[in-house]
Amino acid sequence: MKHRTAATAPATLLAAALLTLVTACGYEEGPPGRVIDKKRTYTGMGAEINELTVRTSDGEEETFFVTRDDYDSCYRGSSYPACTER
């Protein structure tokens, strides 16, 4: 078990650092599009990182960070940012 914990420690620290950076800077609104994927990562320190991936009108995929409320409000197939205004 020690080996597994040691291997995941850098990932946990990286996630925590990323969360701190994003929280300190705030979230930029992502581009308008259709939500095609969602990902929530728990840092193991009581915090989480929420990401949405949207397909824009020109067919590009964009992934960006969102708040917990926006993550919970936007389902796959919903229109972003309209889904955040519920």
Side-chain angles (χ1 to χ4, degrees), residues 8-23:
T8 58
T12 301
L13 291 175
L14 178 61
L18 179 61
L19 178 66
T20 302
L21 177 63
V22 169
T23 303

Side-chain angles (χ1 to χ4, degrees), residues 31-86:
R34 185 75 49 197
V35 177
I36 60 171
D37 196 22
K38 298 170 64 166
K39 181 180 176 187
R40 176 175 280 164
T41 305
Y42 293 97
T43 64
M45 296 183 291
E48 58 194 34
I49 300 170
N50 301 298
E51 295 177 304
L52 291 180
T53 301
V54 298
R55 181 168 288 122
T56 61
S57 60
D58 62 0
E60 297 293 318
E61 292 182 8
E62 297 281 337
T63 301
F64 50 92
F65 300 105
V66 294
T67 64
R68 178 183 216 167
D69 288 339
D70 288 353
Y71 181 90
D72 291 339
S73 296
C74 295
Y75 299 96
R76 285 178 182 83
S78 62
S79 180
Y80 181 86
C83 58
T84 65
E85 299 168 4
R86 294 181 184 189

Side-chain angles (χ1 to χ4, degrees), residues 1-11:
M1 282 293 226
K2 286 184 179 180
H3 180 66
R4 183 174 180 196
T5 303
T8 58

